[in-house]
Amino acid sequence: MKKFIILIVVTFSLQVYGNEEPISENWISADVTFISKLKVTFKNNPLSVLALLESDQHRKSALGYGYSYAEGSMGKGYVSVSFSILYKDEEPISYKLTPYMPDDDRLKDRYTKLFEGLFTVSKHELQPLYFNKEEAVSPLESCTTNISVIEKIESYMSPYSGIRYGSRGGYANSLLQNRREYVSLKDQLNDKVHEHLLCSKNPATRLTAIEYFTSKNRVNSPKISAKIDEIFNETPTIETFAGCMIMDVDSRELVKELSTQKIEQ
């Protein structure tokens, strides 16, 4: 009897902890249909992909200067695709799609083949797919800045680096995405590059540049002073984290507060 009980316990443990749950072919079928539609649609009309993702059901965040931004995800079976979309005057002009591989190792090879032709796959690691990324990383049209910056700084200027401005937040109280990217670039940023960052389409990046000039007492140029006033007029409030909550706060007040702090990793 004792051996029989032990056998039951071992069998149960293998089922629960040994990844023995049956694979759902219905879930796989749903993923195949979904990803196949994405492939065909992206090839024929990249902007039509957004309808498949039902992106219009997600709230847009105002970025200033006529730009807005939306984030969300769409899943069918074992996988999902998250999206980030940049709009100008309510029309989508650029987006980023981030796919996710199934957690179950038995499905990795099968899904690697499924994703091929749309996403770049390297050692089971999926790379994001961008549409018209150049539009997202380029400076605002109203700017006269003409310096050349490295690709990482260009990416930081885009909304894809995170549009929430602040320091820390969330359940782990970790650095916000935009702040984390800024900290990683700090050794490559000088006054001239910060002036370039004021022309970002990402409001969090613009405010971080203002924070730099404020903290260093370097707002000594009428041009920079006028640009800062313009930015605050375009972005009077900004999304940030207060603990685990996302909320809109006064942009000037938050920049003033953070300019007196030393924020590192």
Side-chain angles (χ1 to χ4, degrees):
M1 183 66 175
K2 189 180 235 181
K3 289 183 180 179
F4 180 68
I5 293 173
I6 292 173
L7 180 61
I8 292 175
V9 171
V10 171
T11 303
F12 176 76
S13 298
L14 286 172
Q15 289 176 338
V16 175
Y17 301 107
N19 205 17
E20 294 298 320
E21 183 178 339
I23 292 173
S24 171
E25 291 298 328
N26 288 335
W27 282 22
I28 292 177
S29 178
D31 286 333
V32 169
T33 300
F34 176 52
I35 301 301
S36 297
K37 283 183 179 179
L38 282 180
K39 287 181 182 179
V40 173
T41 304
F42 183 79
K43 182 178 179 180
N44 295 329
N45 186 353
L47 285 176
S48 294
V49 164
L50 302 182
L52 295 179
L53 299 171
E54 300 178 4
S55 60
D56 58 349
Q57 297 183 18
H58 295 263
R59 181 182 75 88
K60 296 186 184 74
S61 299
L63 306 183
Y65 297 93
Y67 292 92
S68 55
Y69 190 68
E71 296 177 306
S73 65
M74 170 63 74
K76 293 296 181 180
Y78 284 103
V79 297
S80 64
V81 175
S82 68
F83 55 84
S84 305
I85 309 166
L86 177 63
Y87 297 83
K88 177 65 186 295
D89 300 327
E90 300 299 318
E91 294 296 325
I93 58 172
S94 177
Y95 62 73
K96 172 186 176 184
L97 304 184
T98 305
Y100 297 95
M101 195 71 83
D103 293 329
D104 194 326
D105 287 337
R106 294 172 296 172
L107 297 171
K108 299 285 172 119
D109 289 337
R110 196 166 176 177
Y111 275 80
T112 296
K113 292 183 175 66
L114 174 60
F115 281 118
E116 286 176 349
L118 182 62
F119 297 101
T120 300
V121 184
S122 176
K123 297 180 181 179
H124 299 309
E125 289 293 326
L126 296 163
Q127 304 302 312
L129 173 68
Y130 291 92
F131 168 71
N132 200 17
K133 185 179 180 181
E134 296 79 10
E135 183 66 45
V137 304
S138 63
L140 292 163
E141 297 88 341
S142 59
C143 284
T144 57
T145 178
N146 58 3
I147 71 169
S148 177
V149 294
I150 62 174
E151 185 178 349
K152 286 185 178 181
I153 293 177
E154 284 187 335
S155 295
Y156 176 62
M157 293 176 67
S158 81
Y160 304 133
S161 67
I163 63 169
R164 296 185 181 104
Y165 170 67
S167 55
R168 296 179 177 274
Y171 292 106
N173 196 36
S174 56
L175 285 176
L176 304 190
Q177 180 190 352
N178 187 275
R179 179 67 61 173
R180 186 169 63 249
E181 293 200 20
Y182 176 73
V183 170
S184 72
L185 290 168
K186 280 188 74 172
D187 291 342
Q188 304 174 68
L189 305 177
N190 54 28
D191 284 9
K192 194 171 183 180
V193 176
H194 277 93
E195 185 174 350
H196 188 68
L197 295 182
L198 292 174
C199 294
S200 304
K201 289 172 182 169
N202 185 339
T205 302
R206 296 194 299 265
L207 294 180
T208 303
I210 295 176
E211 177 190 317
Y212 166 84
F213 284 113
T214 304
S215 65
K216 302 293 185 181
N217 292 317
R218 292 183 178 175
V219 188
N220 51 13
S221 159
K223 179 183 175 182
I224 292 178
S225 180
K227 188 64 182 178
I228 289 174
D229 286 340
E230 175 191 301
I231 289 171
F232 281 133
N233 287 334
E234 284 287 335
T235 319
T237 62
I238 189 68
E239 288 186 12
T240 190
F241 266 94
C244 297
M245 295 181 59
I246 299 171
M247 59 190 300
D248 289 335
V249 299
D250 184 279
S251 297
R252 285 183 185 270
E253 290 301 317
L254 188 54
V255 169
K256 182 179 179 181
E257 175 186 336
L258 294 178
S259 66
T260 63
Q261 301 178 14
K262 184 177 176 66
I263 306 168
E264 301 291 347
Q265 291 277 40

